Amino acid sequence: MSSPFRNSFLPRALPSLHAGRGRGWVRLSKRRFASLAHPPLAPPLQGGGFIALAFLLALAGCDREQRDMNGQPKAETAAFVPRGDPRSAEYENNAFHIAQGQKWFGWFNCSGCHFHGGGGMGPPLMDDQWRYGGRMEDIVASILYGRPNGMPDWRNKITEQQAWELAAYVKSLSAHPRQDALSARADEMSNTEPQTLQERQKVVPETKAQPSGEEN
Amino acid sequence: MRHACLRILRKPSIAAFMLLCSAFAAPLAAQHNGARPAAAASPPEDGQWTMPSRDYASTRYSGLNQITRSNVRNLKLAFTFDTLNRKGHEAAPIVVGNMMYLTTPYPNHVWALDLSKGGRAVWVFRPHPAPASQGIACCDVVNRGAMYANGRLFFTTLDGEVFAIDAKSGHQVWRNKIGDISKGETITMSPLVAEGKVLVGNSGGEMGVRGWLAALDAGTGRLAWKAYSTGPDKDVLIGPSFKPYYASDRGADLGVHTWPAEAWKIGGGTVWGWISYDPQLKMIYYGTGNPGPWNAQQRPGDNKWTTGVFARDIATGQARWFYQSSPHDLFDHDDINEQVLLDMPIHGRMTPVLVRPGRNGYMYVIDRRTGQVYSAEAYGFINSMDGVDLATGRVRMVKEKAPKEGRVIRNICPTASGVKDWNPSAFSPRTGLLYVPHENMCMDEGVFEANYIAGTPYVGADVKMYAGPGGHRGVFTAWDPVRAKPVWEIKESLPLWSGALATGGDVVFYGTMDGWFKAIDASAAGGGRLLWQVRLDSGIISQPVSYRGPDGRQYVAVVTGVGGWAGAIVSAQLDPRDPTAALGMVNAMRDLPGRTKPGGTLYVFALPK
């Protein structure tokens, strides 16, 4: 398998437990605002020595770990990947990248919320509605930076290449994908009985449908 | 019935019971079965509805009897109120004195309506939960209602916060954030307030969270105790007073040893359903949710203490007994359904029991004091299990229906949503019957290895659901808990996702997902006769209630607003071309968008003056 995956994140490895404690979410959001207002290291440096600084840096390191996992709401305009990124043309409708994206879609639990395009906890991806724009760049921005109503941010959890591959796959779920670029591999369960097990269906039904029967 | 009698008779038994058995064989449908609500947990009728379950015994029974079987067809609309929210409305309206309180789905507004002024809004409380919580909630952004106690209203928000607000002014008294959405925790349940404690648990069984029930001080909101559903005994609050009835629940740190290493830390067992309280025994009863992930091959072992019912001391939280309905759960059979506290004849002697329509499809009658299961009969179609062994307490699984990695197992009945999901049943002391709104569906399931990534789903299953035998997806059953059998059943085209309401006029109410609000003859002899129905603007998945208005008349209130797991195809506009959408539920509900639309309106009915 390709090396970027090996180097970044091992989803097939044993579950890596979230290290955050208690109410990390609220505390972090406050801290983030606080750090915008004041240079965070200035007051401790006045009275503290090297050890204190190192300790603080270590603490900051812990927080940085947590920040990637938080569910911090993002402003809708904040996430932005400039239009006309050359990677857009490179990844879209590319058979290899779509197939890779399809794999990541399952491995990174995208299918846990969006299922196989029909949606659930997250919105459907196979329809023609794009809450945050349907261009490759918009989809990559949604994946990397998250969106305010629940889409988590995946930057630092997956590589940019994986994000572009995911976008190529997501894009292929809706609209009119090039059939020669789509993977023949189905990663979801088979939803229909194999044709060999099905009874031959009559072209013209012999009896009329039941008058008040339920559909299905 | 004879079969059940014989099975119990095999054990050393009493002559009186043999008499009872022979008595049951005779047709005695009209005779009262002797079941009644636990007196201490079910105070006399005062015309109010202060908690979703009506009382600590969770009867959902209003003693008001102005609306009867003969006049219910004259019901007229008294007033309506639009919540301005179009997500799934699962909450029960709360009625205290002249006021009614409504909680909405996310963003969890609380509306106060003055009933003496025709339901005019007096105030609205907006808690502003984090928008990101919408993407963490597994099955729509629902909320199941508030509870009133001592001048305060207690409710939860989707992002994991508990609020106490002044019921008169709508001003906040305290708030406490006890859930963490970055770990996948949300809160959807209605708190139960008793003995100065506010009991709240977390949701997120599909997100690899670790389930718990917390008790907050009702005065200050500070944490009094917190009981986890997995992990070492000290976290689960298991101590010397823990005396489970069955041997399989005895042993040290079973919440660790019945899991693969460390898996209990992300093992689920969330507490998002109903809590009952027995003020006499000072014990609370509640169920724990499914273990995570759904793919059971990733968690060999019994996965204690998920998918079972706990009895705990309310003051300390210490566990008293536990019964596991689905050890090593295979099908997401959260055991969070309601427990109705009844006193009823068992072996000829009046016994304090709790009756719970289990998600796995068995109607459990369990001794409130000890956790012994007296009966567990199927109340719907089941082919993945073959009864409950009352000697060991263990459910017998059908081997061929167990999901396996790399293949799709077809025609598993019931579905992951069970023979019945969260929507609570009602008990009438007049008829002695339990009225159970439930489902009749089956599923195909393929499982695969799930990856744990904090704050994202931890499921590992592709599911496709469809109607069960007969083609109807819902059933409304009147169940005799003493004789352990159904008295009558009403088949419904759509799965039932609303609660039931029983009243003193022998009329029971429930709603359907395509917006019909129905009144049914409660009596055994009535056979489930439809007395009255009205079509409302949206599907009903909430909990109807009844109260005495300021003018002395009896009112019946219900909130529309389709959604929830089964209705998300409408409220979230899911795409039915993907049959696995919404954990496979979308496939079974693909006709719903053509039969109803999103809504969120309170309807209140009364007889004409």
Side-chain angles (χ1 to χ4, degrees), chain B residues 149-408:
Chain B
N150 298 326
R152 291 173 181 179
L153 215 52
F154 301 87
F155 70 99
T156 59
T157 61
L158 192 63
D159 64 346
E161 197 154 20
V162 186
F163 281 81
I165 58 179
D166 186 272
K168 269 214 175 61
S169 65
H171 292 149
Q172 177 186 312
V173 180
W174 54 256
R175 61 195 287 179
N176 188 356
K177 183 107 176 175
I178 57 174
D180 179 359
I181 59 170
S182 70
K183 285 193 276 188
E185 286 177 346
T186 49
I187 297 185
T188 56
M189 74 181 282
S190 168
L192 187 91
V193 187
E195 309 288 330
K197 300 264 191 312
V198 184
L199 302 167
V200 180
N202 60 354
S203 305
E206 279 60 54
M207 312 290 284
V209 315
R210 184 183 175 201
W212 45 256
L213 177 73
L216 309 181
D217 183 275
T220 63
R222 271 195 282 273
L223 187 72
W225 50 260
K226 189 172 186 179
Y228 285 93
S229 305
T230 66
D233 285 352
K234 66 172 170 39
D235 290 4
V236 189
L237 301 189
I238 284 178
S241 58
F242 183 59
K243 300 204 164 47
Y245 188 82
Y246 298 101
S248 56
D249 297 314
R250 296 184 206 130
D253 292 328
L254 291 182
V256 172
H257 302 314
T258 56
W259 293 89
E262 310 278 291
W264 55 270
K265 291 179 180 171
I266 50 172
T270 50
V271 183
W272 56 274
W274 302 108
I275 308 172
S276 295
Y277 173 58
D278 184 338
Q280 212 169 5
L281 295 171
K282 304 267 185 242
M283 278 203 253
I284 55 163
Y285 306 93
Y286 69 94
T288 57
N290 62 288
W294 283 21
N295 177 6
Q297 287 186 285
Q298 277 177 264
R299 44 174 174 80
D302 274 358
N303 310 133
K304 307 266 184 227
W305 308 87
T306 63
T307 50
V309 55
F310 264 117
R312 290 186 185 277
D313 179 69
I314 191 166
T316 61
Q318 285 291 319
R320 304 289 283 275
W321 55 258
F322 177 82
Y323 170 73
Q324 196 170 26
S325 312
S326 303
H328 186 63
D329 166 57
L330 300 177
F331 306 113
D332 179 42
H333 285 165
D334 293 67
D335 213 25
I336 55 80
N337 288 353
E338 69 281 4
Q339 30 280 313
V340 184
L341 308 188
L342 303 179
D343 293 339
M344 65 182 217
I346 302 278
H347 303 187
R349 200 182 310 152
M350 283 304 269
T351 309
V353 298
L354 57 87
V355 178
R356 51 188 342 246
R359 181 133 143 186
N360 61 10
Y362 294 103
M363 184 71 75
Y364 289 92
V365 176
I366 304 179
D367 193 310
R368 287 209 294 281
R369 302 160 300 186
T370 62
Q372 179 185 3
V373 178
Y374 290 122
S375 72
E377 296 297 319
Y379 64 99
F381 181 72
I382 303 173
N383 69 10
S384 57
M385 288 158 275
D386 180 29
V388 177
D389 183 344
L390 294 182
T392 62
R394 216 174 165 89
V395 65
R396 287 182 289 262
M397 306 306 292
V398 173
K399 216 174 160 192
E400 306 84 71
K401 295 295 181 185
K404 283 176 200 66
E405 282 182 18
R407 48 180 312 191
V408 176

Side-chain angles (χ1 to χ4, degrees), chain A residues 11 23 71 107 109 116 118 189 191, chain B residues 132 177 451 456-457 462 464 578:
Chain A
R23 304 171 198 143
W107 284 20
N109 294 347
H116 301 290
M189 69 183 243
N191 284 303
Chain B
K177 183 107 176 175
N451 300 318
T456 72
D462 272 335
K464 186 180 88 166
D578 173 10

Side-chain angles (χ1 to χ4, degrees), chain A:
Chain A
M1 199 49 65
S2 60
S3 58
F5 165 66
R6 229 163 231 294
N7 292 340
S8 55
F9 185 71
L10 287 168
R12 286 273 154 175
L14 271 177
S16 62
L17 293 171
H18 176 43
R21 289 186 309 272
R23 304 171 198 143
W25 186 86
V26 164
R27 204 185 60 237
L28 276 179
S29 61
K30 280 180 189 157
R31 198 169 282 183
R32 181 175 280 187
F33 282 116
S35 65
L36 285 176
H38 316 283
L41 289 181
L45 273 182
Q46 291 166 358
F50 175 74
I51 294 170
L53 177 61
F55 184 64
L56 274 171
L57 282 174
L59 272 182
C62 291
D63 270 2
R64 206 170 298 132
E65 273 293 306
Q66 287 193 338
R67 243 174 245 181
D68 299 337
M69 314 297 278
N70 75 16
Q72 172 86 358
K74 311 291 185 303
E76 300 198 17
T77 49
F80 187 66
V81 172
R83 298 264 160 86
D85 190 304
R87 284 173 289 185
S88 180
E90 181 190 338
Y91 283 82
E92 190 174 358
N93 276 326
N94 179 295
F96 172 74
H97 291 313
I98 291 174
Q100 286 292 96
Q102 179 177 337
K103 187 173 68 180
W104 308 139
F105 196 80
W107 284 20
F108 294 124
N109 294 347
C110 311
S111 57
C113 290
H114 302 283
F115 295 88
H116 301 290
M121 298 167 65
L125 301 175
M126 68 203 307
D127 59 13
D128 58 356
Q129 312 250 328
W130 296 97
R131 289 186 190 179
Y132 307 109
R135 299 177 199 227
M136 283 290 285
E137 294 90 339
D138 302 325
I139 302 171
V140 168
S142 294
I143 295 168
L144 284 180
Y145 303 106
R147 295 292 182 181
N149 291 315
M151 175 73 189
D153 67 82
W154 290 87
R155 111 186 146 267
N156 300 334
K157 278 189 260 181
I158 62 176
T159 65
E160 284 206 15
Q161 185 190 13
Q162 287 169 333
W164 281 93
E165 285 174 339
L166 275 166
Y169 173 67
V170 167
K171 185 105 204 231
S172 80
L173 287 171
S174 81
H176 299 283
R178 277 180 50 162
Q179 292 302 306
D180 59 350
L182 284 184
S183 171
R185 185 187 82 230
D187 283 356
E188 69 267 32
M189 69 183 243
S190 170
N191 284 303
T192 48
E193 291 272 327
Q195 283 198 335
T196 48
L197 293 180
Q198 285 176 355
E199 283 184 38
R200 181 178 288 262
Q201 299 202 339
K202 298 275 189 306
V203 177
V204 180
E206 284 168 4
T207 52
K208 282 185 179 169
Q210 290 172 358
S212 62
E214 266 305 309
E215 52 270 44
N216 294 328

